[in-house]
Amino acid sequence: DLIQSLASGRLYTQAEHMCSAYPEPTLLVEFDPARQFTMVSKEALAHTGPHTILAKMVVLVLHFPKLRLIWSPSPRYTSELFRVLKQGREQPDPAAAQAVAAEVAAGDSGVVV
């Protein structure tokens, strides 16, 4: 969940790892098509002010300027988006992806794939 990840700082850490490990880090934010999208849910408002979540999103974007954001309204849209983005590109190498994940887990996220 985007709001929980922002509130806990987990998304910041993930962005840090992605930006150091990949030349074009991308964050996919997929929301439920059955619910209206909002940056602040009613539940979140009970625990934090609306500006806190938005401020954390701004900090994320400012601290990681090469991080690309993709907003997707549904899983179907995400699937189609991946199909379009994948056209004309090679299949990802699972071994290379696992190597990057292992480097990040070990704390040495300076590897660029």
Side-chain angles (χ1 to χ4, degrees):
D1 175 69
L2 176 66
I3 293 170
Q4 290 174 344
S5 294
L6 281 167
S8 71
R10 187 179 72 216
L11 189 56
Y12 188 92
T13 302
Q14 290 173 338
E16 192 172 44
H17 290 308
M18 287 191 304
C19 287
S20 65
Y22 298 103
E24 296 178 18
T26 304
L27 173 65
L28 171 68
V29 179
E30 186 179 86
F31 43 96
D32 184 349
R35 295 175 40 194
Q36 181 180 4
F37 176 76
T38 179
M39 284 293 290
V40 182
S41 68
K42 290 178 185 177
E43 296 83 20
L45 280 175
H47 302 293
T48 62
H51 302 291
T52 304
I53 298 300
L54 294 176
K56 288 183 180 195
M57 192 66 174
V58 169
V59 167
L60 183 76
V61 171
L62 290 175
H63 281 203
F64 304 103
K66 75 177 194 174
L67 181 65
R68 297 175 181 189
L69 301 176
I70 297 177
W71 299 87
S72 174
S74 70
R76 174 176 244 146
Y77 181 89
T78 300
S79 177
E80 179 61 17
L81 179 65
F82 284 162
R83 187 188 66 75
V84 170
L85 290 173
K86 177 79 173 78
Q87 286 179 345
R89 296 179 182 226
E90 291 184 26
Q91 190 68 12
D93 179 5
Q98 288 176 341
V100 169
E103 294 290 334
V104 169
D108 180 19
S109 56
V111 177
V112 177
V113 176

